[in-house]
């Protein structure tokens, strides 16, 4: 006879699968509930602004070794775009022109005054910098109306120092006033270069769409020729013969010669190896250019 194996009833948990799906649904909903406000908050904090800047600039170099805000200050201007990724951090792209005008005759140091050189230079600069606000800030936000900030980045600039004779200004780099391009010296220096801009400023809201910025920033360059003065005097005879009389005239303009030598070749003209720096001081009007800011701030 066939044998039948008696088995007990099979137990099936009919709630396990639905409960597992429900648990996943609850966890997913919780994650979305957490992430959605964070994403919305980041989007709320983001904004785009543009602005226009006016101010002045000065430099530190052979004609002004240590004096901040010294020289015959000239007007400067610029424009920028800023992308604020949060209320504390943003990135700014800018274009500026900084004008410099310096005369040895204005110096307190008698050696510099006796050297009697001068120059002007209009420096055009494009930069990208990162900004970090001391406190939360947003244009139009009635709670975050003011902040200080720091910035640093990288810039590319072009320049051409000039000097004047009888009311006419001449480009100095092609003249090789320290013997560049002649048998007395090396190659002519570059008129473009990279710099590291860094500094600080303050931002104030003026309304829902505008703000006022005040900023000071230094540019650390790797050029010693913003002022065309770097090392030593070249032979005046070589300059006159190979570069022309204009190069000779603009190379050596001392009031009194040092020693009995008529040709100052080899004597100090500048501070060889000390790179020039220039600073920009600006007041800017900033305008929000993306969507209208909400009046229901968090």
């Amino acid at each position: 006879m066939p044998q039948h194996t008696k088995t007990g009833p099979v137990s099936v948990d009919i709630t396990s699968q639905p409960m597992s799906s429900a648990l996943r649904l609850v966890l997913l909903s919780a994650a979305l509930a957490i992430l959605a406000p964070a994403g919305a908050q980041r989007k709320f904090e983001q904004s785009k602004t543009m602005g226009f800047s006016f101010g002045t600039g000065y430099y530190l170099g052979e004609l002004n070794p240590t004096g901040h805000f010294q020289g015959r200050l000239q007007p400067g201007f610029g424009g920028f775009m800023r992308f604020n990724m949060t209320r504390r951090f943003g990135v700014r792209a800018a274009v500026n022109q900084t004008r410099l005008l310096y005369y040895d005759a204005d110096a307190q140091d008698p050696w510099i005054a006796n050297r009697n050189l001068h120059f002007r230079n209009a420096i055009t600069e494009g930069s990208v910098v990162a900004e970090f606000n001391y406190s939360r800030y947003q244009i139009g936000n009635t709670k975050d109306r003011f902040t200080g900030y720091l910035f640093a980045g990288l810039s590319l600039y072009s320049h051409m120092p000039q000097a004047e004779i009888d009311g006419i200004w001449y480009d100095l780099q092609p003249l090789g006033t320290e013997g560049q391009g002649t048998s007395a010296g090396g190659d002519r220096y570059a008129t473009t270069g990279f710099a590291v801009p860094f500094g600080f400023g303050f931002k104030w809201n003026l309304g829902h769409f505008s703000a006022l910025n005040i900023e000071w920033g230094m540019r650390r360059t790797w050029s010693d020729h913003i002022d065309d003065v770097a090392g030593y005097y070249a032979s005046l005879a070589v300059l006159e013969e190979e570069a022309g009389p204009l190069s000779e005239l603009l190379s050596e303009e001392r009031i009194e010669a040092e020693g009995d030598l008529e040709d100052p070749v080899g004597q100090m003209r500048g501070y060889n190896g000390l790179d020039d720096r220039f600073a920009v001081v600006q007041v800017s009007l900033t305008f929000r250019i993306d969507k209208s800011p909400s009046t229901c701030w968090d």
Side-chain angles (χ1 to χ4, degrees):
M1 294 181 62
Q3 298 295 319
H4 297 280
T5 302
K6 187 176 181 181
T7 61
V10 177
S11 176
V12 179
D13 186 355
I14 62 173
T15 63
S16 61
Q17 187 66 24
M19 281 299 293
S20 177
S21 299
L23 181 59
R24 286 198 296 267
L25 182 60
V26 169
L27 292 176
L28 178 61
S29 299
L32 291 176
I34 294 173
L35 296 176
Q41 181 67 21
R42 285 194 296 269
K43 185 176 180 181
F44 169 77
E45 291 189 351
Q46 293 176 356
S47 63
K48 298 176 183 177
T49 60
M50 67 175 295
F52 306 95
S53 303
F54 305 91
T56 188
Y58 64 91
Y59 106 115
L60 299 174
E62 274 77 7
L63 276 71
N64 182 38
T66 59
H68 288 271
F69 297 97
Q70 298 296 314
R72 304 184 185 186
L73 301 180
Q74 304 295 297
F77 57 90
F80 60 88
M81 291 282 295
R82 179 188 287 122
F83 177 57
N84 303 294
M85 288 176 280
T86 70
R87 295 190 215 181
R88 299 292 293 270
F89 180 76
V91 176
R92 182 183 71 197
V95 177
N96 290 294
Q97 186 176 88
T98 304
R99 300 178 180 179
L100 307 174
L101 180 62
Y102 281 80
Y103 286 81
D104 274 345
D106 297 335
Q108 299 298 317
D109 186 304
W111 185 87
I112 294 178
N114 182 69
R115 183 177 55 190
N116 200 35
L117 295 174
H118 68 282
F119 81 99
R120 74 177 184 184
N121 203 337
I123 304 174
T124 301
E125 175 193 27
S127 64
V128 176
V129 302
E131 294 183 351
F132 179 76
N133 296 330
Y134 291 129
S135 58
R136 299 197 313 171
Y137 173 80
Q138 194 171 32
I139 287 185
N141 193 328
T142 56
K143 295 183 178 180
D144 303 329
R145 295 181 175 180
F146 170 82
T147 187
Y149 65 97
L150 300 173
F151 70 89
L154 185 67
S155 70
L156 176 66
Y157 68 93
S158 64
H159 73 107
M160 177 59 74
Q162 297 179 318
E164 177 263 339
I165 294 179
D166 297 329
I168 301 175
W169 289 86
Y170 298 93
D171 292 346
L172 292 172
Q173 188 261 11
L175 296 177
T177 55
E178 292 185 355
Q180 302 97 330
T182 72
S183 59
D187 296 332
R188 290 184 172 87
Y189 54 82
T191 56
T192 60
F194 288 100
V196 173
F198 61 92
F200 64 91
F202 302 93
K203 303 173 183 177
W204 290 271
N205 279 351
L206 297 178
H208 287 300
F209 299 95
S210 60
L212 179 70
N213 299 170
I214 297 178
E215 178 178 294
W216 173 91
M218 180 64 72
R219 274 63 172 168
R220 195 270 189 242
T221 78
W222 283 266
S223 172
D224 194 16
H225 293 94
I226 298 296
D227 49 16
D228 188 62
V229 183
Y232 301 92
Y233 287 100
S235 169
L236 298 182
V238 172
L239 290 180
E240 182 178 20
E241 180 179 351
E242 299 183 21
L246 194 58
S247 175
E248 177 195 359
L249 287 173
L250 293 174
S251 173
E252 205 278 327
E253 300 183 80
R254 290 180 298 179
I255 299 173
E256 295 183 6
E258 298 178 19
D260 299 327
L261 297 177
E262 294 184 5
D263 196 322
V265 58
Q267 294 181 4
M268 181 179 291
R269 189 172 186 258
Y271 309 109
N272 195 22
L274 178 64
D275 292 333
D276 297 334
R277 294 160 288 163
F278 67 97
V280 180
V281 183
Q282 295 177 320
V283 176
S284 305
L285 288 176
T286 305
F287 303 93
R288 184 165 180 156
I289 59 175
D290 57 359
K291 64 181 182 179
S292 301
S294 170
T295 55
C296 299
W297 307 106
D298 63 345

